[in-house]
Amino acid sequence: MQEETGDFKRLGDVKAASAANRARVPFSIAFLEAQKHRAGRALPSPPRGARCAAGSRPAPEWGHRGAPRVPAEAPAPAPGQAAGPAEPTWSAPEEEGGGRAGRRKRRPPGGEGRGGGARARPARSGAAWTAERPRGGCLRAYPALPVWVVEDHQDVLPFIYRAIGSKHLPASNITFVHLDSHPDLLIPVNMPADTVFDKEALFSELSIENWIMPAVYAGHISQVVWLHPPWAQQISEGKHHFLIGKDMSTTTIRVTGTDHYFLSDGLYVPADQLENPKPLNLHVILISPTEASSSQEESGEAASAKRLKLNTGDTASTASASLSVAPGDPDHSTPRVKEKEGQNASASNKAETSDCPASSCLGNSECPIREVIEEVCQVLQRGDAYVLDIDLDFFSVKNPFKEMYTQTEYKLLQELYNFKKPHKNATEESLLDCVENRVHQLEDLEAAFADLCDNDDEETLQKWASYPGMKPLVQLVHSLKTRMESPDYEMVHQAGLTCDYMELPHHVSSEDEIEGLIQSIKVLLKDMPKPTLVTVARSSLDDYCPSEQVDVIQEKVLSLLGLLYGTLDVHLDYSSTPTSTSL
């Protein structure tokens, strides 16, 4: 972390950067009252009478998660179509010739633009479609494995939907294998749930931290496997089973998941508050770097192993080796809490310990054996097809906000945005209280920084510092004003939203660590069936994947995919002139 900061590359207009991607509006007291009523008690008047009255200012122009407030409306039903959710239908893509943000990831400076303006939606390759697959309504098979490489991670979703429309992916029961230093499992807070049934409207609402869950609510994705490196601990390790649906009070998408990741963003509601609920099986599994050992691959046992297969009949012979992966306890159907050191609670990973080299273990995580890989494949077998999704910041990641502020300023942000966690065995009433308090806290912070955008004089500052928990605001603003002529308070708010109960991961990997993770992924993928398609996000222009490493990592990943799957149909969709090549 830097003590002083100068000019930052790609420090653009943050309002323009996030306006096209996220629409956020604070929760209303009516929403919380409806939930409390369902829980069997009335909502007491909040002790925050001055919250809106003080200053007599209109509502901020940006939402309680630091994004512009853009009212979103549900798409109107087509003529003759009843209102309300319905399973979407997808038309086949046109032939070649069409153009193309806890823990949570937020968009730092640089934002949108990436070379100018919105991009066209993906066009399919001109190659002829060949053999059909027996499952999922006679799915088609690509002649070569397509690999879509984009810059911003949400831009992979149109290609997945394109594969659904062309019947290469089924419309439902897809498994999503997600390698990333960030879960990307948040939800556009104020987006009407029915927006998911209008894909173009949906794509315009999404951002880097919230693009997966809408596809779950739409019914396409049923299982998510988040494979994360050791430095990413935003969601507790193990298996999580919860519902995602339309909140009857707000018509927005909400979840019954009680992990701190969801609670701290105000996304929890009780199950009886959801309409059209869809179950999600989320598996959170740790991947650690392994030593590149040729002896493992050359062992007789490894050479004779076969790749597990999906129900589609895909088979391939490959090698098997031990992998430094720490899954959750397979016997638990509820999340197993795993906190960072110093966060009041901790849990050690449960895994098998035999036949694993000590060098491939990390910390207290034991080395599992082949059964771990089989567990991942068992998850895949529950689905009809799977997508392999790789963010290059899985291998090396930065927290770009930490480079914008001094250590003292960052600690003050952590104090201001600190999330008060519920007790381990909290009741529904306690969880609703937690969400209510969190919403009030974020609304106050949002309003305070909106006020400071208009006038950051001492009177305004002292007014907001008198609010509960807002005292660090004075020292923070004074520090910022000594270094900057005109602090970007909206950017400060966005930075604060990333450090509420756990910081964004920050670990710039060495060459050996990157290679170790490549080897771990190699071992895993060799025992997995071939995916229907692969999506890759560079995440470099917003500085999550270090710009000096991203090209090397991308080359290693593409080489690994070619080694495992043969000919690839690679589409580089992040450049000003997207290209397609066969490797």
Side-chain angles (χ1 to χ4, degrees), residues 156-278:
V156 306
L157 193 59
F159 299 110
I160 295 171
Y161 274 41
R162 179 70 51 146
I164 295 172
S166 62
K167 299 189 184 301
H168 290 85
L169 281 174
S172 61
N173 202 24
I174 297 171
T175 301
F176 195 72
V177 179
H178 180 57
L179 286 83
D180 200 326
S181 281
H182 311 89
D184 296 352
L185 293 174
L186 295 178
I187 297 168
V189 171
N190 195 55
M191 184 186 78
D194 290 351
T195 304
V196 303
F197 304 115
D198 180 344
K199 63 181 188 298
E200 294 302 328
L202 172 64
F203 298 156
S204 69
E205 295 278 355
L206 302 181
S207 187
I208 54 178
E209 78 279 9
N210 61 23
W211 56 278
I212 298 175
M213 295 294 264
V216 176
Y217 176 66
H220 303 310
I221 295 173
S222 299
Q223 292 85 223
V224 174
V225 181
W226 179 38
L227 303 176
H228 64 95
W231 44 82
Q233 303 288 342
Q234 297 94 313
I235 299 180
S236 56
E237 207 77 20
K239 300 178 182 180
H240 303 254
H241 307 287
F242 55 89
L243 300 175
I244 176 171
K246 180 197 287 190
D247 178 10
M248 291 186 286
S249 298
T250 64
T251 72
T252 56
I253 301 174
R254 292 294 181 267
V255 301
T256 61
T258 57
D259 192 273
H260 297 153
Y261 180 81
F262 301 112
L263 292 174
S264 65
D265 227 49
L267 298 177
Y268 166 81
V269 298
D272 62 0
Q273 183 73 17
L274 290 180
E275 200 176 279
N276 191 29
K278 304 289 176 63

Side-chain angles (χ1 to χ4, degrees), residues 392-403:
L392 299 185
D393 71 17
F394 170 87
F395 300 92
S396 184
V397 66
K398 294 170 68 176
N399 177 356
F401 292 107
K402 294 188 80 169
E403 297 185 349

Side-chain angles (χ1 to χ4, degrees), residues 143-155:
L145 179 65
V147 180
W148 293 96
V149 185
V150 303
E151 182 58 51
D152 294 340
H153 211 155
Q154 79 273 11
D155 289 339

